[in-house]
Amino acid sequence: MKRLKKIVKWTGINLLILVVVIAAVTGMRQNLHFDAPYPNIKASADSAIIARGRHLVFGAAHCINCHNANNPDSLAALGLDVPLSGAVKFELPVGDIYSKNITPDRETGIGKFTDGEIARVLRYGVHPDGKPVFDFMPFHDMSDEDLTAVISYLRAQKPVYNRVPEIDPNIIGNLVIAYLVKPVGPSGPVPASVKKDSTAAYGQYLVNSIAECNGCHTQRDLSGAYVGEPFAGGGKFEEKGVVFYPPNITTDSSSRIFGWQEADFINRFRMGKLIPQSPMPWNAYKTMDDVELKAIYRYLKTIKPAKAPVFDQQLAEK
């Protein structure tokens, strides 16, 4: 009995020491800094380049859906510019994350940063202060031409003073930040430009480098890394009490778009958001032109078939 008590005692002491060490190391790793190149991107005052940036920001890149907390769909429907002033709160398993103010305000927005610093955030996932970005934005492989257009539009906005709260991680979030969140850069050489046409090749570029279809339609872990079959269906979203599961959009027979013709695909996007709580940025995507939507459809038709995650299928059925 004494031997057992001694074993229990020392086991408890060792576990306590382990917990203290992990807590201390986790605390020290909350402010890790990383280095990454500064892309040679310079904002332009050319109206055509700014217009291209606006088209991407309001459309395929759907920046307005994450960087405006004041009903961006209604503002956009009225033909008004949507201030990208941030402060949209995302209640995630890792804690509360708020979108940044990306208007040119010099105190609370991006006005204090250089074009290279902004481009580095989008391409390499490193903040101007060196901290890593949660990998929620898909722009690592965006062409130099389109990245220039986006930053040019961001610079051309009206500055909005809006101080956004800092990230508020929970215990899980602290662990994720300490050990999992790292910068994510381009998957290969970044193109100077990509020809816009209705081919599957351009669709692949839109889907993977701008529209973030993979980001929602593929399973991800808490750090944002992909862990599921590409486009086979994503994890749970809960919006205003309504639960959504991004569906399978591969060529498998279980896919949401299986059997859809090109015209069906385009018509569905033109309808915009039909379910008010849907996390899908339908009203941004519906502003894409036919060339872009045809390209996306044609690319999705090339994706290998895959079954949706069984766990999520069971939850959805309940």
Side-chain angles (χ1 to χ4, degrees):
M1 179 63 78
K2 288 183 179 180
R3 177 178 173 81
L4 178 60
K5 287 182 178 179
K6 189 174 182 180
I7 292 173
V8 171
K9 173 185 174 181
W10 283 106
T11 299
I13 291 173
N14 288 332
L15 286 174
L16 179 61
I17 292 172
L18 179 62
V19 169
V20 170
V21 170
I22 291 175
V25 173
T26 299
M28 290 188 293
R29 292 178 62 87
Q30 290 305 295
N31 293 296
L32 294 179
H33 288 71
F34 296 85
D35 195 17
Y38 293 94
N40 185 24
I41 299 294
K42 303 293 182 185
S44 172
D46 185 295
S47 60
I49 294 175
I50 292 172
R52 169 63 178 167
R54 185 184 188 280
H55 177 71
L56 291 171
V57 165
F58 276 63
H62 60 281
C63 308
I64 62 173
N65 290 88
C66 291
H67 289 277
N68 182 281
N70 299 305
N71 199 352
D73 287 341
S74 295
L75 295 173
L78 294 172
L80 301 175
D81 279 347
V82 179
L84 302 177
S85 51
V88 176
K89 181 180 179 180
F90 296 91
E91 297 178 356
L92 304 174
V94 297
D96 295 337
I97 295 179
Y98 299 84
S99 63
K100 300 294 186 181
N101 179 349
I102 55 173
T103 72
D105 182 67
R106 293 192 62 81
E107 187 173 346
T108 64
I110 61 172
K112 56 184 173 290
F113 303 132
T114 67
D115 295 336
E117 287 174 327
I118 298 169
R120 187 175 74 157
V121 171
L122 296 174
R123 181 162 289 172
Y124 292 101
V126 178
H127 285 295
D129 63 2
K131 292 181 181 179
V133 176
F134 273 89
D135 191 34
F136 297 144
M137 297 184 294
F139 308 126
H140 312 300
D141 294 307
M142 182 182 282
S143 72
D144 287 344
E145 183 177 63
D146 283 343
L147 188 55
T148 297
V150 167
I151 294 176
S152 298
Y153 175 72
L154 297 182
R155 292 291 197 205
Q157 296 175 93
K158 180 181 178 181
V160 177
Y161 180 93
N162 187 32
R163 193 171 296 282
V164 174
E166 295 295 326
I167 180 176
D168 184 20
N170 53 29
I171 294 176
I172 295 174
N174 285 326
L175 291 169
V176 169
I177 291 170
Y179 304 106
L180 295 178
V181 178
K182 297 178 181 178
V184 178
S187 61
V190 177
S193 63
V194 178
K195 181 183 178 182
K196 180 179 177 179
D197 56 28
S198 59
T199 64
Y202 187 63
Q204 180 181 23
Y205 170 70
L206 287 174
V207 164
N208 293 305
S209 301
I210 296 181
E212 200 184 12
C213 307
N214 199 23
C216 287
H217 289 276
T218 302
Q219 289 279 318
R220 306 174 82 168
D221 65 20
L222 293 178
S223 72
Y226 295 104
V227 294
E229 285 291 324
F231 305 101
K236 174 182 175 182
F237 280 82
E238 186 167 352
E239 298 285 339
K240 299 178 181 178
V242 182
V243 175
F244 295 88
Y245 293 89
N248 184 337
I249 53 173
T250 71
T251 50
D252 188 75
S253 60
S254 64
S255 167
R256 176 67 58 83
I257 61 173
F258 183 76
W260 286 23
Q261 300 302 310
E262 188 172 86
D264 301 322
F265 186 81
I266 294 174
N267 289 338
R268 173 61 191 92
F269 276 84
R270 291 286 173 254
M271 293 177 190
K273 184 173 290 190
L274 301 179
I275 302 174
Q277 301 92 341
S278 173
M280 174 85 163
W282 285 110
N283 291 337
Y285 287 160
K286 78 176 184 179
T287 67
M288 287 189 283
D289 58 38
D290 282 1
V291 170
E292 291 168 319
L293 290 173
K294 286 178 180 179
I296 289 173
Y297 173 83
R298 292 171 187 180
Y299 169 64
L300 293 179
K301 286 299 182 182
T302 70
I303 295 173
K304 71 174 184 178
K307 295 294 183 184
V310 174
F311 178 68
D312 279 352
Q313 285 180 323
Q314 292 173 344
L315 284 175
E317 289 169 358
K318 293 179 181 179

